[in-house]
Amino acid sequence: MDWGQIFGNTASYLLSPVTIAYAMAATGLGVHFGYGGLLNFGMAGFMAVGAYGYAISVLSFGAPWWLGMIIGLAAGALFGLLLGIPTLRLRADYLAIATIAAAEIIRLLFTTQLFNKWTGSAEGLANYNAGFNAANPFPPGRYGFGPWTYTAAQLWVVVFGLILLALALLLVFSLVRSPWGRVLKGIREDEDAVRSLGKNVFAYKMQALVVGGVIGAAGGIVFVLPSAVIPGSYTTSLTFFLWVIVLLGGAATVFGPTLGAVLFWVVLAFMNNLLPALAAAGMLPMTTSQASVIQFILVGVTLMLLVIFRPQGLLGDKREMTFVK
């Protein structure tokens, strides 16, 4: 086995666009669940509307890349409003069912032939990043060292994604320490008590859903900057991965989802490189394709163990997660 290649491929995920995108989406989910107590299983839908809003604006309407991104964020906010109006009065388990169904409806709408002219149906969309690439401030060449070596285009995506992630973390950090954030955490713990104080619980939940949804839509935009928008990427497994990330780092923390995303993708990449190599070397009694599936089994087992033994996550305070029980 080539251990150098295994560790190199694993280390590259520390600063990859997919890790940054998942960190942003998980941060949005942290606003929903960690601070608002909203059991949202439809974050894949927010990422999808953000990505498609950006790509369609550029390809179909000729919008500049920055305006397309703003439209993608607005699409995330609009989806949050449309989703929240009929669902936010539902009990937690029914809310989970409704949101996961809404995300699937969004995905299927993007794959239908009815909107093929704008969405590309099952083939998705590509070639929308010309304007974004033209705004690249880095001269052509290669940057970095070892597994963190990038072309100018790749470095621009990483830097831009990190800037958006930093802005998202700053926004969440400011909100949760404001009076608005304290009310939201009160709703998470006991919404009847907050309602008795004269607060509009529904309005606060809606605001949390929209704020987290916009951050999730930004994650969806970063997710598609390196390549193309593929509707098959927004299945329920994407949402489940985000839940693992949030629970791993700490749902009721600002930086926990980012830490969870880094750990999740580093471990997943390590297993994805190690297990097939072990199978190819005859050290596992299975084929390389079978070995690749084991990593997802481990993800499921990890999720169960986290919920059972450490629901507050690595950075979380157990007192902040009493609402999980």
Side-chain angles (χ1 to χ4, degrees), residues 194-247:
V194 175
R195 190 178 287 109
S196 70
L197 297 175
K199 301 296 184 181
N200 189 333
V201 171
F202 178 82
Y204 276 91
K205 285 185 175 182
M206 179 66 78
Q207 292 162 18
L209 187 65
V210 170
V211 170
V214 169
I215 297 174
I221 293 173
V222 174
F223 187 61
V224 300
L225 283 180
S227 54
V229 182
I230 306 298
S233 302
Y234 305 101
T235 58
T236 53
S237 61
L238 171 56
T239 295
F240 295 146
F241 286 170
L242 291 174
W243 273 96
V244 174
I245 288 170
V246 168
L247 295 177

Side-chain angles (χ1 to χ4, degrees), residues 179-201:
W180 180 86
R182 289 191 288 272
V183 172
L184 192 65
K185 286 186 279 188
I187 293 172
R188 178 195 69 191
E189 299 295 340
D190 190 341
E191 66 177 69
D192 291 329
V194 175
R195 190 178 287 109
S196 70
L197 297 175
K199 301 296 184 181
N200 189 333
V201 171

Side-chain angles (χ1 to χ4, degrees), residues 223-294:
F223 187 61
V224 300
L225 283 180
S227 54
V229 182
I230 306 298
S233 302
Y234 305 101
T235 58
T236 53
S237 61
L238 171 56
T239 295
F240 295 146
F241 286 170
L242 291 174
W243 273 96
V244 174
I245 288 170
V246 168
L247 295 177
L248 178 61
T253 63
V254 175
F255 301 101
T258 299
L259 174 63
V262 172
L263 292 176
F264 175 84
W265 277 108
V266 166
V267 172
L268 198 66
F270 180 70
M271 291 297 175
N272 189 42
N273 284 275
L274 177 64
L275 295 176
L278 291 175
M283 301 175 67
L284 287 178
M286 59 187 69
T287 65
T288 55
S289 59
Q290 291 171 333
S292 298
V293 177
I294 295 179

Side-chain angles (χ1 to χ4, degrees), residues 21-22 24-26 28-29 32 40-53 72 75-76 79 83 96 98-108 110 209 212-213 215-221 223-224 229-243:
Y22 271 66
M24 293 190 66
L29 184 57
H32 291 165
N40 174 25
F41 274 80
M43 186 52 76
F46 285 98
M47 293 184 72
V49 297
Y52 272 97
F79 180 55
L83 179 63
T99 52
I100 198 171
E104 277 297 285
I105 290 171
I106 289 295
R107 185 180 67 84
L108 293 174
F110 286 136
L209 187 65
I215 297 174
I221 293 173
F223 187 61
V224 300
V229 182
I230 306 298
S233 302
Y234 305 101
T235 58
T236 53
S237 61
L238 171 56
T239 295
F240 295 146
F241 286 170
L242 291 174
W243 273 96

Side-chain angles (χ1 to χ4, degrees), residues 55-232:
I56 292 173
S57 299
V58 173
L59 291 177
S60 298
F61 301 101
W65 66 273
W66 55 268
L67 180 58
M69 290 185 179
I70 293 175
I71 292 173
L73 299 180
L78 179 61
F79 180 55
L81 286 171
L82 296 177
L83 179 63
I85 290 172
T87 64
L88 286 182
R89 291 187 173 88
L90 296 175
R91 205 173 62 193
D93 47 356
Y94 292 111
L95 177 62
I97 295 171
T99 52
I100 198 171
E104 277 297 285
I105 290 171
I106 289 295
R107 185 180 67 84
L108 293 174
L109 283 175
F110 286 136
T111 59
T112 181
Q113 288 289 333
L114 181 63
F115 306 113
N116 181 63
K117 177 181 177 181
W118 299 281
T119 65
S121 188
E123 297 180 359
L125 298 171
N127 302 320
Y128 47 79
N129 278 331
F132 175 77
N133 292 331
N136 188 351
F138 301 103
R142 299 191 69 82
Y143 300 84
F145 60 92
W148 304 288
T149 302
Y150 308 99
T151 64
Q154 292 170 337
L155 182 63
W156 173 223
V157 172
V158 170
V159 171
F160 184 80
L162 289 174
I163 291 173
L164 287 185
L165 177 59
L167 292 175
L169 293 175
L170 179 61
L171 173 64
V172 175
F173 181 84
S174 302
L175 286 177
V176 299
R177 282 160 176 76
S178 68
W180 180 86
R182 289 191 288 272
V183 172
L184 192 65
K185 286 186 279 188
I187 293 172
R188 178 195 69 191
E189 299 295 340
D190 190 341
E191 66 177 69
D192 291 329
V194 175
R195 190 178 287 109
S196 70
L197 297 175
K199 301 296 184 181
N200 189 333
V201 171
F202 178 82
Y204 276 91
K205 285 185 175 182
M206 179 66 78
Q207 292 162 18
L209 187 65
V210 170
V211 170
V214 169
I215 297 174
I221 293 173
V222 174
F223 187 61
V224 300
L225 283 180
S227 54
V229 182
I230 306 298

